Amino acid sequence: MSDNKLPHNKLFLDSKNLNNRNNLHEHDLNFDSKIPTLPKHVANGLVLTIFGSLIISCAIFFIFLKGSDIVVVPNLSGLYIEDAITELQDKELIPYVELKFSSTSLDKGKVIDQSPKAGTVLRLDSKVKIFISKGAVINKVDNFIGKNIDDVLINLKANSINNNRILYHLLKPIEIESTLSKGTIIRQEPSPGTKIASLVDLQFLVSKGQEEAPTRYVKNYVGLYYKDAIISLLNDEINFDVNLSTGSDFGSVIFQSLSPGSKVENLDKLTITINEPKNNGTGIFGILTYKLDIYPSSVDIMVKVKDSNGNSSLLYSFRSRGGLIKLPYEALKGSIIELYIYDRLVNQTVVN
């Protein structure tokens, strides 16, 4: 027998192995073609089981949330320390107090922060830290604008007693009419942020509310000397404009745009026409025109004339809410017409 011939039994084994491989391949193909699936009733049962578990879990959660050992942290911001502690004790929470400085002395003794925040859910007997203001390290004037004057005065007095230190010498507040509610601080002097080096004189401009304006009626100004007509209009706080004309009735009012007896509304403006006064050669006639700021309430205004020697005399004194004013005058050449608001000089006009 040749050496290249394989034994008969080896050929038989190779053929058998080949058949086995073919059978395995066919089995794999058959297995891949058959995807295992659960019976429909088993799948439905699993879905219902999972869904039911979720419902039960949610129910347990809400029962747990509503349990008697759970509480929601209240909002304590702005409460005084006694009220904050009482609020926590009522909720069966344990207050833990910590003192810290704040940005304003008006917060002294009040809650300025808390941990955890309001709305947090805790177990009973949990600790809640509240931060209480012990005032401010004051080195500048506080901002009191917009606050109620009574509240500010009470707080300032309490702070001076508690700190054994007086920072402000309070001057009598100035009250003016305003659209703001009564007692609201409109302005302060010194202004907020002014550095404090020693005892400070503190004064407030305070709203006294808005008084109902009396009903005003137009008078008959025709035939009056211009200055008498102007003074009457200023006293009645009627807005007016002035036109000039020439005629024989020197300095007299010859026309008015609203008839006598007419009711004056806030936006109404009366126009009067006057003849220029007779020029005597020594005085100059003119009209002072100036636009005032608009004020929340009427302010005191004075108009004076100062001659070349420095002597002053009063031309007009009246109250106004501001806006454009036109005031006729007669003065010597070289004199100065001065306009004052609350005794403060705001404008000077040289008579030429």
Side-chain angles (χ1 to χ4, degrees):
M1 184 178 291
S2 172
D3 294 337
N4 294 330
K5 290 183 179 181
L6 295 173
H8 181 268
N9 58 348
K10 184 170 181 63
L11 290 173
F12 175 77
L13 290 173
D14 289 343
S15 174
K16 187 176 181 179
N17 290 337
L18 182 60
N19 290 333
N20 288 338
R21 289 194 190 98
N22 291 334
N23 290 335
L24 288 173
H25 180 66
E26 290 176 1
H27 180 269
D28 290 341
L29 291 176
N30 292 334
F31 181 79
D32 290 341
S33 63
K34 295 180 181 180
I35 299 174
T37 58
L38 292 173
K40 187 174 182 180
H41 68 278
V42 175
N44 291 338
L46 285 174
V47 171
L48 290 174
T49 301
I50 294 171
F51 185 69
S53 299
L54 289 175
I55 293 176
I56 293 172
S57 299
C58 291
I60 292 173
F61 172 77
F62 285 110
I63 291 172
F64 175 77
L65 186 63
K66 295 180 180 179
S68 59
D69 60 340
I70 293 299
V71 67
V72 178
V73 177
N75 183 10
L76 306 171
S77 178
L79 295 181
Y80 281 101
I81 182 171
E82 300 87 353
D83 298 330
I85 290 175
T86 301
E87 181 76 14
L88 290 175
Q89 290 176 341
D90 288 344
K91 299 285 186 181
E92 296 187 49
L93 294 170
I94 301 173
Y96 179 81
V97 178
E98 185 171 317
L99 301 177
K100 62 188 296 187
F101 287 108
S102 60
S103 59
T104 172
S105 60
L106 298 179
D107 288 335
K108 185 177 176 66
K110 295 181 181 179
V111 177
I112 55 176
D113 199 5
Q114 67 182 81
S115 179
K117 298 295 184 183
T120 304
V121 177
L122 296 178
R123 290 184 178 275
L124 296 181
D125 296 326
S126 296
K127 287 186 178 181
V128 175
K129 183 183 290 187
I130 53 176
F131 298 90
I132 305 298
S133 169
K134 56 181 180 179
V137 181
I138 300 178
N139 56 7
K140 59 184 179 180
V141 176
D142 282 314
N143 184 2
F144 302 103
I145 296 173
K147 296 181 172 63
N148 182 273
I149 181 66
D150 293 332
D151 295 338
V152 168
L153 295 179
I154 290 171
N155 277 287
L156 289 177
K157 185 176 181 180
N159 288 336
S160 64
I161 294 174
N162 293 335
N163 295 330
N164 294 319
R165 181 185 176 196
I166 299 177
L167 298 171
Y168 302 116
H169 172 233
L170 297 176
L171 303 179
K172 184 179 179 180
I174 299 174
E175 292 186 323
I176 64 170
E177 291 180 30
S178 169
T179 55
L180 298 174
S181 58
K182 185 177 180 179
T184 302
I185 296 175
I186 301 172
R187 195 163 61 240
Q188 68 181 70
E189 187 64 36
S191 58
T194 302
K195 290 186 177 180
I196 295 177
S198 58
L199 186 65
V200 175
D201 287 336
L202 182 62
Q203 188 169 42
F204 299 120
L205 184 67
V206 180
S207 169
K208 62 178 181 180
Q210 192 170 24
E211 298 179 0
E212 186 175 351
T215 304
R216 294 165 296 171
Y217 296 93
V218 175
K219 298 175 183 176
N220 185 11
Y221 307 103
V222 175
L224 293 179
Y225 190 67
Y226 79 88
K227 192 168 184 180
D228 295 329
I230 296 297
I231 290 174
S232 178
L233 289 168
L234 292 174
N235 289 338
D236 292 339
E237 295 190 35
I238 296 176
N239 294 326
F240 64 90
D241 195 3
V242 178
N243 290 332
L244 294 179
S245 182
T246 56
S248 58
D249 295 331
F250 297 109
S252 296
V253 178
I254 60 172
F255 173 79
Q256 63 185 67
S257 61
L258 299 176
S259 58
S262 300
K263 185 177 179 180
V264 179
E265 303 294 342
N266 288 333
L267 298 179
D268 289 340
K269 176 174 280 192
L270 172 69
T271 300
I272 61 172
T273 302
I274 62 176
N275 282 335
E276 291 190 27
K278 189 174 183 179
N279 189 347
N280 56 15
T282 58
I284 294 178
F285 176 79
I287 295 180
L288 173 67
T289 302
Y290 189 81
K291 188 173 184 179
L292 297 166
D293 293 332
I294 301 299
Y295 302 101
S297 61
S298 298
V299 297
D300 294 334
I301 298 176
M302 288 190 301
V303 178
K304 297 180 179 180
V305 57
K306 184 166 66 175
D307 62 24
S308 56
N309 295 322
N311 299 316
S312 294
S313 59
L314 182 66
L315 288 179
Y316 300 105
S317 177
F318 59 98
R319 292 176 60 79
S320 172
R321 289 180 178 267
L324 184 66
I325 58 172
K326 297 177 73 173
L327 301 172
Y329 64 85
E330 291 177 87
L332 297 175
K333 185 176 182 179
S335 300
I336 298 176
I337 306 297
E338 298 179 327
L339 178 66
Y340 292 84
I341 299 178
Y342 284 128
D343 296 326
R344 181 171 61 90
L345 181 64
V346 296
N347 182 69
Q348 290 182 315
T349 301
V350 179
V351 178
N352 292 317

